[in-house]
Amino acid sequence: MSKALDGVRILDFTHVQSGPTCTQLLAWFGADVIKVERAGEGDATRGQLRDIPDADSLYFTMLNHNKRSVTLDTKKPSGKRVLETLIKTCDVLVENFAPGALDRMGFTWERIQELNPKMIVASVKGFGPGPYEDCKVYENVAQCAGGAASTTGFDDGPPMVTGAQIGDSGTGLHLALGIVTALYQRNTTGRGQKVLAPMQDAVLNLCRVKLRDQQRLERTHVLKEYPQYPDSHFGDAVPRAGNASGGGQPGWILKCKGWETDPNAYIYFITQGPVWPAVCKVIGEEGWIDDEAYATPAARLLHLKPIFKRIEQWTMSKTKFEAMEILNQYDIPCGPILSMKEIAHDESLRRSGTIVEVDHPVRGKYLTVGNPIKMSDSPTEVTRSPLLGEHTEEVLSELGYGAADIAALRAEKVI
Ligand code: COA
């Protein structure tokens, strides 16, 4: 079956996580992704967090499926010439080097435009224009600068980062959307363009509801759905909200049966307005249905802590899955806290292709996260990540290099 991005060629100059997330997604949609890596070294993540000596790490393999790998020293003149040919024949160049690295290599936007005016040049950087634009940035820096850390955690603790890689993978997703949109616009303009996704901005985009709350706080001096209400004081910035829901339906994480020994025996419970009578029935507090202290969402905001304490007495008598089954019968929104172990064995995620087993010639079988975006006319088959330089000769031949040229580049240690 054909793929959505069949015929699109990507020059993948990305490394670590943010850029590779983006190009992996484009490869899953059918683009031919040619990853350019430094000869001998490759993407630093190949060797980071290794669990098997001499095998590409899971860090690398899980971010670089369905790509081809070419080794090329793009600082040597003959390497630059190969890169120029690649630029002339590709549709998109994606990079997430430190600011200025591409320019220092001699490939400014102007130079790339000269070589290929249709080229889309897509970049991840830590920050957009401003005081930090020249900084190198990793995941947690972006989480801190984008508003996630100051609003995550509990009121009496320090700022917290989240395990979800919203700075790296989150920005990669933003960049992928920018690239596909630029390809679409190129259909009418015939021109390439620059696409920039700064990590701070992408994190802030994902923290949009917290900027909403900042403005609500400035106007009303209180955020009634936050755990600080009604007993504690609000300062002048959005506080950390613990496990409170980010929306208008109060929620919290509650203990379930076995919590004493299982760190994930918990459930997320949402006291959605329309199902309040059902919640009361399930937990055996029918009197709360008409009690004016509990009957309306506004009244309940004053008593959220005791309400959740009482619901927890009920959830503690059930496993998280038993609680889910009962609550779902009443359409009460809830979700089990699933461990990575439980997710790895989840049959439905495997059936849908979101958890995939991949075979690798050096490391053997491993699990990865497949394409979370499902398209009826462009299915994804996850294939293993390339070995370093596995496709160098193949790609150079496609570019018109003969065996003697390739041998010369090898002798020069350019590839
Ligand atoms: N041939 C020759 N040189 C190459 C090359 C190749 N194929 N590929 C990379 N290089 C060079 C670069 O040109 C650069 O050289 P320069 O410093 O002389 O200009 C050098 O390798 C290192 O690149 P850099 O990006 O600075 O790597 P780093 O390991 O020092 O920094 C990051 C890593 C992630 C901090 C940095 O790349 C960065 O801030 N990127 C933007 C934000 C980002 O994506 N962060 C998230 C990463 S998940």
Side-chain angles (χ1 to χ4, degrees):
M1 196 187 259
S2 68
K3 298 278 162 60
L5 295 183
D6 272 348
V8 174
R9 270 164 73 98
I10 312 272
L11 198 176
D12 181 8
F13 233 161
T14 69
H15 64 159
V16 203
Q17 185 181 165
S18 63
T21 314
C22 165
T23 50
Q24 175 170 262
L25 205 52
L26 300 174
W28 282 338
F29 290 139
D32 176 14
V33 175
I34 302 166
K35 184 167 173 110
V36 175
E37 298 177 81
R38 217 176 334 198
E41 300 170 36
D43 187 327
T45 59
R46 285 186 185 267
Q48 282 173 3
L49 312 178
R50 270 193 174 146
D51 57 327
I52 301 174
D54 301 327
D56 285 335
S57 71
L58 288 166
Y59 195 5
F60 177 83
T61 55
M62 290 178 73
L63 288 161
N64 289 286
H65 293 104
N66 298 62
K67 302 181 184 177
R68 299 198 279 173
S69 165
V70 169
T71 48
L72 190 63
D73 187 332
T74 54
K75 285 191 172 162
K76 292 191 172 142
S78 46
K80 283 188 206 293
R81 282 196 291 278
V82 177
L83 188 63
E84 283 172 5
T85 319
L86 269 170
I87 289 172
K88 284 180 190 157
T89 56
C90 286
D91 299 282
V92 187
L93 184 159
V94 192
E95 63 92 22
N96 68 313
F97 292 128
L102 206 56
D103 294 352
R104 287 193 290 278
M105 219 182 262
F107 292 90
T108 58
W109 163 246
E110 291 73 23
R111 175 74 187 125
I112 294 170
Q113 283 284 285
E114 258 170 46
L115 293 166
N116 180 359
K118 291 182 80 177
M119 172 65 88
I120 291 158
V121 179
S123 306
V124 169
K125 295 289 166 256
F127 293 91
Y132 302 126
E133 64 188 313
D134 292 329
C135 295
K136 290 191 175 186
V137 167
Y138 283 107
E139 170 71 46
N140 288 342
V141 176
Q143 286 200 27
C144 293
S150 69
T151 53
T152 302
F154 286 88
D155 204 19
D156 56 357
M160 294 268 284
V161 295
T162 155
Q165 303 285 283
I166 57 176
D168 280 341
S169 288
T171 308
L173 285 166
H174 282 81
L175 191 72
L177 179 60
I179 290 170
V180 175
T181 310
L183 281 167
Y184 190 78
Q185 190 177 10
R186 196 179 72 172
N187 288 335
T188 46
T189 63
R191 286 194 308 277
Q193 63 182 298
K194 281 192 273 188
V195 180
L196 171 67
M199 295 168 72
Q200 179 188 37
D201 306 39
V203 170
L204 175 59
N205 185 34
L206 299 174
C207 290
R208 177 175 295 262
V209 297
K210 298 297 177 180
L211 185 57
R212 171 200 69 192
D213 292 347
Q214 179 62 33
Q215 295 172 86
R216 292 171 59 222
L217 180 66
E218 285 172 18
R219 193 178 304 277
T220 65
H221 310 292
V222 67
L223 296 167
K224 290 186 179 172
E225 74 285 14
Y226 275 53
Q228 289 79 2
Y229 180 78
D231 310 317
S232 325
H233 163 79
F234 282 88
D236 58 4
V238 172
R240 294 186 259 293
N243 288 316
S245 134
Q249 307 291 346
W252 202 255
I253 289 184
L254 306 177
K255 291 171 182 159
C256 291
K257 196 188 218 168
W259 66 273
E260 299 90 337
T261 50
D262 176 357
N264 296 303
Y266 288 84
I267 193 165
Y268 199 90
F269 195 109
I270 298 176
T271 58
Q272 191 203 14
V275 292
W276 177 245
V279 172
C280 297
K281 272 189 208 133
V282 168
I283 64 170
E285 291 288 353
E286 277 96 338
W288 282 2
I289 298 175
D290 298 316
D291 184 334
E292 64 182 33
Y294 299 94
T296 63
R300 289 196 289 279
L301 288 176
L302 277 165
H303 310 290
L304 282 182
K305 283 188 199 88
I307 287 172
F308 281 123
K309 261 271 150 294
R310 175 64 190 91
I311 298 173
E312 191 171 58
Q313 280 173 8
W314 180 82
T315 56
M316 280 164 71
S317 69
K318 309 275 179 289
T319 69
K320 60 191 175 190
F321 298 114
E322 289 165 352
M324 275 288 289
E325 214 172 302
I326 297 167
L327 297 169
N328 276 326
Q329 286 168 24
Y330 296 93
D331 280 341
I332 298 169
C334 56
I337 307 304
L338 293 181
S339 68
M340 270 301 151
K341 187 173 177 189
E342 288 166 329
I343 289 171
H345 293 100
D346 188 303
E347 280 308 317
S348 51
L349 287 175
R350 286 187 183 222
R351 268 196 304 278
S352 70
T354 296
I355 298 276
V356 189
E357 192 173 76
V358 184
D359 206 358
H360 186 276
V362 185
R363 71 164 27 259
K365 288 192 165 56
Y366 64 94
L367 288 184
T368 195
V369 184
N371 192 345
I373 302 168
K374 318 295 181 191
M375 290 172 63
S376 62
D377 228 6
S378 182
T380 298
E381 294 100 35
V382 178
T383 61
R384 69 168 174 85
S385 58
L387 302 174
L388 179 59
E390 186 175 342
H391 304 95
T392 306
E393 291 189 13
E394 179 182 295
V395 171
L396 287 181
S397 313
E398 285 169 15
L399 294 177
Y401 285 77
D405 307 319
I406 295 174
L409 288 167
R410 216 174 270 297
E412 222 192 309
K413 292 198 168 42
V414 167
I415 58 173

